[in-house]
């Protein structure tokens, strides 16, 4: 997504149109209700909105929320796939899906298409 956005930004140069990508950590919304976050970094929706506005004001191509997450994400993405898979396994990457609190998510899930 970032490479595509950078390419489009270059293609749109001089047109008055810009593109940006905002990459938030887990956003504290109803979507995350019942999801065991196990100490994961979370942000408020207002933080994401502020980042979007900052990109619009400055023309920045990329913004992470929180800002410190960008270098960590790049470092993780640079790992060879076997190391990435092992790191996710060691960090409990499947726990989020395995430990969902179905009761805490019930109101949210009921509104999903097909459940109305």
């Amino acid at each position: 997504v970032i490479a595509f956005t950078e390419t489009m930004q270059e293609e749109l140069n001089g047109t008055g149109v810009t593109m940006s990508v905002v990459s938030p950590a887990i956003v504290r919304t109803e979507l995350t209700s019942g999801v065991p976050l196990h100490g994961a970094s979370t942000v408020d929706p207002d933080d994401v909105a502020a980042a979007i506005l900052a990109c619009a004001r400055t023309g920045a191509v990329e913004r992470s929320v929180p800002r410190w997450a960008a270098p960590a994400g790049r470092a993780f993405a640079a790992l060879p796939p076997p190391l990435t898979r092992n790191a996710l396994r060691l960090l409990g990457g499947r726990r989020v899906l395995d430990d969902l609190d179905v009761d805490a998510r019930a109101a949210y899930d009921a509104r999903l298409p097909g459940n109305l």
Side-chain angles (χ1 to χ4, degrees):
V1 172
I2 294 167
F4 173 77
T5 303
E6 290 171 340
T7 301
M8 288 304 300
Q9 182 82 318
E10 195 60 37
E11 291 287 325
L12 294 167
N13 190 23
T15 67
V17 177
T18 62
M19 288 187 69
S20 300
V21 60
V22 174
S23 303
I26 299 168
V27 183
R28 288 184 288 269
T29 65
E30 191 178 13
L31 175 64
T32 60
S33 60
V35 176
L37 300 176
H38 302 292
S41 178
T42 61
V43 296
D44 289 320
D46 289 345
D47 298 328
V48 179
I52 293 168
L53 291 173
C55 285
R57 274 193 309 276
T58 65
V61 175
E62 177 186 2
R63 177 71 60 99
S64 291
V65 183
R67 302 260 334 228
W68 61 261
R74 281 191 199 98
F76 196 75
L79 293 174
L83 286 178
T84 303
R85 283 192 297 276
N86 286 337
L88 286 173
R89 186 178 45 76
L90 290 172
L91 294 171
R94 288 275 319 157
R95 287 186 302 178
V96 170
L97 300 176
D98 293 341
D99 298 338
L100 284 177
D101 183 339
V102 178
D103 294 331
R105 291 193 59 78
Y108 175 80
D109 288 342
R111 289 195 321 274
L112 293 175
N115 292 330
L116 299 176

